[in-house]
Amino acid sequence: MKKILLSSAALTAFAGAAMAACPAVTVSDPMGVGAGAFPQQYELAEFQTLANCTLEVSENPDIAAMNARIRGNPDMPALVDRLPSEPLVVAPYDTIGSYGGMFNALSNATEAGTSDFMSVRHVNLVRYADDLTTIVPNVAKSWSWNDDFTQLTFVLREGHKWSDGAPFGAEDVEFWYENLQLDSNVIESPKDYVLAGGEAMTVDVIDALTVRFNMPSPKPGFLAHFANHYAQGFQPKHFLGQFHPDVNPDADALAQSLGFENGYDLVKAYYGSSDWMDTPTPMLAHPDKVANLPLDAAPTLESHIVISESTEGRQFVANPYFYMVDTAGNQLPYINEMDEIFVGESEVRLLKLVNGEVDYKAQALQIDYVPLLLENQEKGGFVVDLKPDITMPTFAFNVTSDDLEKRKVFGDLKFRQAMSVAMNRDEINEVAMFGLGTPQQYVGFSPTPDFVPAQWEQHFAQHDPEMAKALLDEIGVVDTDGDGMRELPNGDPLTLNLQVATQGISIKIVELVGQSWRDVGINNTVKEVTSDEYRSAQSSNQLDVTLWEKSVPLAVVLGNGEIFIPPYDNYFNMRTAMLWGEYVESDGSAGVKPPEYAYQMMADVKAFQAAQVGTPESDAAGLRLVETMTSNLLFIGTVKEQKPIYYAAALKNVTQFKTASYAYYRTYPYRPSQWYLDE
């Protein structure tokens, strides 16, 4: 008897076809939703078949040639020995695809702006179905909670293998948590999502395929984290562990024989020093040493494997051990190769899109690109869809600026109130968003939960330049030299340097906001920079104003509360108050002590994560988070917008996205492993 986990856009139809073809098939309903009640994309039905009714599998005819291009990979065994005994069966949205083709991807730089393409290859223990509500199996076959949400147990797939053919199992999950996430030699300090109530968890390997997370306090949202985050909850212990001193006593000697100072340096060469999955491989980071290393890149569970990398781009081939098949038994992915190029200039990226040189793009596409893209989509052979965005363009003043006079002003709530009401959100909506947006204040969550009164969406969000001027006068930010622009209270000039990375925000929106601020006497300059330049300046506390798109769904906060903890996000997203973050992370030994309300938010986000959604305790903690964040205007929102999603007309099995959003990890809910090219 063989079990097959079905991942289907037409579950009921497939179940009927399977039972008609094979009367021995039975359907169980482990989640208890009831026969005939499966919502679209419900993926937890188990199809149990007798031996003569098993799904026959077949492979890409080019897979052996692609495997030969992966340095260090051994000769492949037969497909049945490469697949798990219970592969994840994916029903294509439209049709069974055809193998072959080159997928052309476009990213901003070697690490910046690659999440769009990462999400096409991405896998994790679970994911959101495309209803963006239901969490469904992926790498993990199943999961279970204990009664108080302090233990989360995953069951993995028997026979699942890494891209080099080595077995994947529970120890790879334990290794990721214990030896990477909690080891300060790899990641300087643990992320909020690997903690519960601010404390570390423990991980138990129950058996080769069963792993359990034990939490010091309840964290029901921990499962949701794996469903929408880029950080994969596993790493290849058999490979990275040989370089890790806590796993292999000879790790340092081995690393030194390969030209590295110690084992940790070699772990970082393959894994990086953060949880970002697109850190440079040794092919880019250590080109002089890579030939002596056992592999060009660490083994992966993703659909495609990187085989070359330079400052110009990367090339990938299909993973011969990928664990998904379609409903006809064809191993996925359908697409043979992927070619990613790095282009830092927004004008060049736009030109390549207009010319139809890209197969899919959503990241770094601002709404002001839409008219040109729509005008050229038929000629360029691509499709443009407009979808609601979870985030919105947001501004934050650096309340820990190294310039102490600016710090005093930026830290004054009345200044932030003035700068918020100086914005003309209706103008932003009409001029930059074609009237398709919704003006509102930043409240942290998006969509706004039911427990948040509507008043907070409009808190100091009205356009009132006279109020802005009065508030600025009140705090001593006045025009002392008669040039029409206001100075700092000590008489020094006040010019805001607005550095714009177009990956994160439309420069047109920044220019409109800049003009509104000049209208009330606050001088500013607008300069476009690369994403890497922006992030470096932001993290080193050099910016007057941080500006990017921001807001996350409630489900994200349940697993990862960093938007409510100084500096209020990670390196890749929008942050502020860097020195508050330094103080919190160092336990007060460095940085600047945050005000009491910052500590209140940290306590409230712990309480919010520990409570079950929808309970009075959860709603009360969530409302306090919104009230504290929004009343203090640490982040100033503008307009919720629509964003473009671009894909080649030749790319098939692409479904309608519900949102153009990073929050659910872009393409991940829409199963891009079943995309194929019809050219």
Side-chain angles (χ1 to χ4, degrees):
M1 183 174 289
K2 182 172 182 177
K3 291 182 179 180
I4 296 173
L5 246 66
L6 184 73
S7 169
S8 173
L11 177 66
T12 305
F14 183 76
M19 287 187 283
C22 180
V25 173
T26 60
V27 182
S28 63
D29 180 18
M31 296 299 288
V33 299
F38 298 112
Q40 186 179 27
Q41 289 303 302
Y42 189 78
E43 300 171 15
L44 292 176
E46 291 182 358
F47 287 75
Q48 301 183 16
T49 70
L50 294 175
N52 63 345
C53 297
T54 57
L55 186 66
E56 294 185 7
V57 294
S58 58
E59 67 183 11
N60 186 329
D62 297 322
I63 197 68
M66 286 185 280
N67 183 69
R69 297 171 63 188
I70 304 168
R71 187 168 75 88
N73 259 25
D75 292 338
M76 296 187 308
L79 178 59
V80 292
D81 296 320
R82 302 201 310 270
L83 287 171
S85 60
E86 300 178 60
L88 184 64
V89 182
V90 177
Y93 281 113
D94 299 317
T95 61
I96 297 295
S98 56
Y99 287 123
M102 173 74 76
F103 181 94
N104 292 301
L106 174 65
S107 296
N108 291 22
T110 54
E111 289 184 72
T114 64
S115 71
D116 217 13
F117 182 49
M118 279 173 62
S119 74
V120 175
R121 316 181 316 265
H122 181 66
V123 297
N124 214 329
L125 291 167
V126 294
R127 68 171 179 83
Y128 275 104
D130 61 10
D131 63 4
L132 304 187
T133 300
T134 310
I135 295 177
V136 296
N138 199 266
V139 167
K141 184 176 71 171
S142 63
W143 66 88
S144 60
W145 283 101
N146 67 345
D147 290 341
D148 67 353
F149 295 96
T150 57
Q151 288 187 331
L152 175 60
T153 303
F154 288 104
V155 178
L156 308 178
R157 299 175 189 278
E158 183 178 357
H160 196 166
K161 295 179 174 63
W162 290 97
S163 59
D164 63 350
F168 163 69
E171 289 191 359
D172 295 310
V173 179
E174 178 193 45
F175 174 74
W176 164 78
Y177 191 84
E178 300 284 357
N179 298 111
L180 299 178
Q181 296 301 307
L182 296 186
D183 191 332
S184 60
N185 294 293
V186 180
I187 295 177
E188 187 173 353
S189 57
K191 308 294 185 181
D192 177 72
Y193 67 77
V194 301
L195 307 175
E199 301 297 325
M201 309 174 192
T202 61
V203 177
D204 294 334
V205 173
I206 308 302
D207 59 41
L209 299 176
T210 310
V211 62
R212 177 176 297 149
F213 288 89
N214 307 291
M215 303 166 206
S217 59
K219 192 172 184 178
F222 188 49
L223 180 68
H225 162 76
F226 292 115
N228 60 23
H229 202 265
Y230 56 78
Q232 296 163 349
F234 38 79
Q235 286 298 315
K237 181 179 180 179
H238 74 280
F239 182 75
L240 292 180
Q242 63 185 320
F243 311 124
H244 197 295
D246 287 349
V247 176
N248 178 12
D250 299 321
D252 288 341
L254 175 59
Q256 289 161 6
S257 72
L258 296 171
F260 289 80
E261 184 175 343
N262 54 46
Y264 282 118
D265 284 343
L266 197 42
V267 169
K268 292 179 183 178
Y270 280 106
Y271 182 69
S273 55
S274 75
D275 49 12
W276 185 245
M277 293 307 302
D278 260 1
T279 54
T281 67
M283 290 181 282
L284 178 61
H286 302 281
D288 57 326
K289 301 175 182 177
V290 68
N292 295 324
L293 297 180
L295 296 177
D296 292 334
T300 182
L301 300 182
E302 294 175 358
S303 64
H304 291 78
I305 305 164
V306 61
I307 59 169
S308 68
E309 181 178 25
S310 71
T311 55
E312 304 299 317
R314 297 180 294 176
Q315 289 74 46
F316 296 75
V317 295
N319 179 357
Y321 295 88
F322 196 55
Y323 61 101
M324 298 184 193
V325 299
D326 68 18
T327 49
N330 300 301
Q331 185 187 25
L332 298 176
Y334 294 129
I335 294 174
N336 279 8
E337 300 184 56
M338 293 183 163
D339 183 59
E340 178 188 28
I341 62 170
F342 303 138
V343 177
E345 300 79 14
S346 58
E347 297 87 354
V348 179
R349 291 198 302 271
L350 183 56
L351 180 62
K352 288 184 174 296
L353 292 166
V354 167
N355 289 340
E357 299 175 29
V358 180
D359 287 315
Y360 160 78
K361 190 67 180 168
Q363 185 179 20
L365 292 192
Q366 302 300 341
I367 196 167
D368 37 306
Y369 296 170
V370 168
L372 186 60
L373 292 175
L374 289 176
E375 180 183 337
N376 287 276
Q377 62 178 344
E378 184 174 351
K379 181 176 67 175
F382 57 84
V383 178
V384 177
D385 288 335
L386 281 175
K387 296 296 177 184
D389 194 358
I390 294 291
T391 63
M392 66 175 164
T394 303
F395 294 73
F397 289 92
N398 185 359
V399 294
T400 63
S401 172
D402 287 338
D403 184 321
L404 296 183
E405 292 303 316
K406 286 183 176 179
R407 186 188 299 182
K408 290 177 188 175
V409 170
F410 297 163
D412 193 316
L413 177 58
K414 291 181 178 179
F415 177 80
R416 302 195 295 276
Q417 291 170 339
M419 301 305 276
S420 182
V421 299
M423 292 180 176
N424 189 338
R425 292 170 175 82
D426 289 333
E427 179 185 49
I428 292 171
N429 186 29
E430 293 302 320
V431 174
M433 301 182 183
F434 314 109
L436 300 174
T438 305
Q440 73 163 78
Q441 189 55 267
Y442 174 83
V443 298
F445 297 100
S446 175
T448 304
D450 292 340
F451 58 72
V452 180
Q455 69 195 54
W456 288 110
E457 289 188 343
Q458 299 304 319
H459 182 74
F460 281 88
Q462 73 273 23
H463 181 219
D464 193 339
E466 295 308 312
M467 176 188 285
K469 292 175 184 177
L471 287 167
L472 292 170
D473 288 344
E474 190 175 338
I475 63 174
V477 179
V478 296
D479 178 12
T480 57
D481 60 9
D483 67 352
M485 294 293 112
R486 297 171 182 265
E487 280 73 47
L488 291 164
N490 70 348
D492 288 347
L494 173 56
T495 300
L496 304 176
N497 298 309
L498 306 179
Q499 296 191 29
V500 184
T502 55
Q503 174 189 332
I505 194 169
S506 163
I507 196 166
K508 181 181 291 186
I509 293 172
V510 177
E511 289 171 344
L512 288 169
V513 169
Q515 184 56 57
S516 293
W517 287 347
R518 279 189 291 273
D519 290 344
V520 299
I522 301 298
N523 200 14
N524 57 85
T525 61
V526 178
K527 177 186 178 184
E528 183 175 353
V529 296
T530 68
S531 301
D532 287 337
E533 289 170 332
Y534 172 86
R535 286 167 171 155
S536 175
Q538 176 180 250
S539 295
S540 57
N541 201 42
Q542 296 174 13
L543 299 180
D544 291 334
V545 185
T546 54
L547 36 149
W548 202 267
E549 291 162 348
K550 194 171 179 72
S551 292
V552 298
L554 181 151
V556 171
V557 180
L558 291 174
N560 187 351
E562 62 191 2
I563 69 162
F564 293 106
I565 301 169
Y568 304 107
D569 220 317
N570 60 61
Y571 174 83
F572 297 101
N573 297 315
M574 183 182 181
R575 313 166 96 181
T576 195
M578 292 302 302
L579 299 185
W580 292 359
E582 188 177 343
Y583 188 94
V584 170
E585 290 178 8
S586 69
D587 243 356
S589 64
V592 172
K593 185 176 182 179
E596 186 55 39
Y597 71 77
Y599 287 98
Q600 181 64 52
M601 281 196 288
M602 286 189 281
D604 286 337
V605 79
K606 290 179 183 178
F608 184 73
Q609 290 180 331
Q612 292 191 51
V613 175
T615 61
E617 295 80 8
S618 171
D619 289 354
L623 178 56
R624 287 195 303 272
L625 286 170
V626 171
E627 289 174 340
T628 307
M629 176 65 77
T630 310
S631 65
N632 284 285
L633 291 176
L634 278 177
F635 296 91
I636 300 172
T638 55
V639 181
K640 290 289 291 296
E641 60 185 323
Q642 303 268 325
K643 293 290 275 300
I645 296 172
Y646 170 112
Y647 60 93
L651 189 66
K652 302 303 181 182
N653 285 336
V654 180
T655 191
Q656 288 285 316
F657 290 21
K658 291 191 179 300
T659 176
S661 174
Y662 175 80
Y664 292 98
Y665 208 49
R666 304 198 184 278
T667 67
Y668 188 40
Y670 307 106
R671 297 173 287 136
S673 63
Q674 44 96 49
W675 290 355
Y676 71 99
L677 291 162
D678 182 17
E679 295 179 306

